[in-house]
Amino acid sequence: MPELAEVEYYRKRWSPYQGETVLGVRMHSSKRIFRGVDSHLLCQSLFDQKLTGAFAHGKQLLFQFGKDVWLGIHLGMTGKLEVGTTDSPVAKHQHLCIDLHSGIRLLFFDSRMFGRVRFDLCDGEPQWWSELAPGLLSKDFTIERVLTFLRRRKGAQIKAVLLMQEMFPGIGNWMADEILWCCQIDPRTKAGKIDSEKGMELHRQIQLVARDAIAVIGSNWGDPPNSWLFNHRWKDGGNCPQTKEPLKRERIGGRTTCWSPNWQTYRGM
DNA sequence: CTATTTGTTTATCC
DNA sequence: AGGATAAACAAATA
């Protein structure tokens, strides 16, 4: 499930426990999720450290312990972070639990196991983190960068381009559809066919959708208003909030895409 | 039993 | 070389 706003929601779940000290760490098998991680070193390094930072960037999460212990988490398709207590039994699909002195237990679940845990011991944030593309709401996410990227990816469908994390960190399937719906762009449009005027609108709507999604979902997983495509896109028989006509669902750019054919009529130059 | 899933990585083709 | 596309990954759900 997790895209930009959901990831921010999960960051907030663990964030309040900053300042608390780690009593113990347990990892439950699942080599896949811990690929590349020295699990013994991870447990050892976290022990007796305070949680000192909780960061989100796009779909990536980063938790800092002490000064130079860093735990990175990607939630994949089905990952989630929860808070329990140190006496709760191990649940299904539980991969990591961090017990704190207060009796609180920080938990990471992921049934499909497309998620990933990373671990770094370093002075300053890990390199992979500092190399992430500028966030959608940062001042470095400029119109120029977006237009240049659209030109480079000119042969790909815009739906697929919006899912590329190296330019649009945090945009996932539903956000991409929401953004294109706001811009009235046909999701099958080739990126190179979008003129600069439409490109500027796209840039703006990306920021608006990101801001609104974080406001509504990112704080307490609220329900988006019915004026969004979001509430109508999942099941068959949904209607476009603008035209009231049936929405279409089809596989575009490798992903199920929902759009409103008579609303999203822009097909470019 | 089959088809579907809100994500990324890898292979393959061009 | 670099871009575009599809398959693979694993498990729940309908």
Side-chain angles (χ1 to χ4, degrees):
Chain A
M1 192 170 300
E3 302 181 20
L4 183 76
E6 293 90 344
V7 169
E8 169 60 15
Y9 171 84
Y10 287 121
R11 183 193 71 80
K12 285 204 176 80
R13 300 259 64 70
W14 281 16
S15 180
Y17 304 98
Q18 291 184 68
E20 296 197 18
T21 305
V22 175
L23 182 64
V25 178
R26 260 213 317 284
M27 301 160 72
H28 302 89
S29 52
S30 176
K31 267 189 185 153
R32 181 184 164 76
I33 283 184
F34 295 96
R35 67 199 108 116
V37 170
D38 181 337
S39 53
H40 190 69
L41 184 64
L42 187 157
C43 295
Q44 227 171 33
S45 305
L46 286 185
F47 176 72
D48 211 29
Q49 296 282 351
K50 279 189 171 68
L51 178 62
T52 48
F55 313 96
H57 187 114
K59 296 175 189 171
Q60 306 280 348
L61 284 159
L62 184 65
F63 297 94
Q64 183 182 14
F65 292 85
K67 184 179 164 299
D68 48 16
V69 183
W70 305 87
L71 182 75
I73 298 181
H74 191 292
L75 298 170
M77 199 89 107
T78 50
K80 54 187 177 182
L81 301 185
E82 288 185 4
V83 175
T85 54
T86 48
D87 54 7
S88 31
V90 176
K92 208 175 178 188
H93 306 306
Q94 175 177 318
H95 301 298
L96 176 67
C97 68
I98 302 172
D99 289 343
L100 304 173
H101 273 293
S102 59
I104 289 290
R105 171 176 284 175
L106 305 178
L107 294 153
F108 167 49
F109 298 90
D110 183 10
S111 62
R112 273 177 87 179
M113 297 198 284
F114 289 173
R116 178 174 182 187
V117 170
R118 342 176 53 133
F119 169 67
D120 296 276
L121 264 182
C122 54
D123 184 11
E125 59 191 29
Q127 193 181 357
W128 64 266
W129 179 264
S130 42
E131 284 172 355
L132 296 173
L136 304 179
L137 297 174
S138 81
K139 66 171 177 15
D140 292 331
F141 182 75
T142 61
I143 292 173
E144 290 69 35
R145 291 189 72 243
V146 171
L147 294 180
T148 304
F149 193 74
L150 293 185
R151 245 177 285 129
R152 172 163 305 170
R153 303 300 186 139
K154 58 175 187 279
Q157 293 172 313
I158 186 61
K159 168 61 189 276
V161 172
L162 284 180
L163 294 174
M164 296 177 180
Q165 302 297 298
E166 73 259 36
M167 185 65 213
F168 304 110
I171 294 186
N173 205 27
W174 78 255
M175 271 186 80
D177 286 356
E178 194 77 34
I179 291 161
L180 292 172
W181 179 77
C182 289
C183 296
Q184 296 180 258
I185 298 174
D186 186 315
R188 298 164 295 191
T189 307
K190 296 275 203 286
K193 306 278 276 184
I194 293 175
D195 62 31
S196 49
E197 191 186 349
K198 203 64 175 178
M200 287 167 70
E201 186 186 344
L202 183 63
H203 171 268
R204 174 167 170 71
Q205 289 299 340
I206 288 169
Q207 296 195 312
L208 293 181
V209 169
R211 184 198 64 188
D212 292 347
I214 286 176
V216 172
I217 300 170
S219 32
N220 22 339
W221 207 292
D223 292 327
N226 278 331
S227 56
W228 292 18
L229 176 65
F230 186 92
N231 285 350
H232 313 272
R233 55 165 289 129
W234 304 106
K235 57 196 180 314
D236 290 332
N239 288 335
C240 171
Q242 283 288 343
T243 67
K244 313 298 178 198
E245 293 171 317
L247 294 164
K248 204 167 169 180
R249 287 227 304 277
E250 214 173 271
R251 215 166 173 78
I252 298 173
R255 306 296 298 279
T256 296
T257 299
C258 178
W259 81 105
S260 175
N262 288 329
W263 172 247
Q264 294 169 251
T265 52
Y266 182 87
R267 292 192 176 76
M269 308 180 276

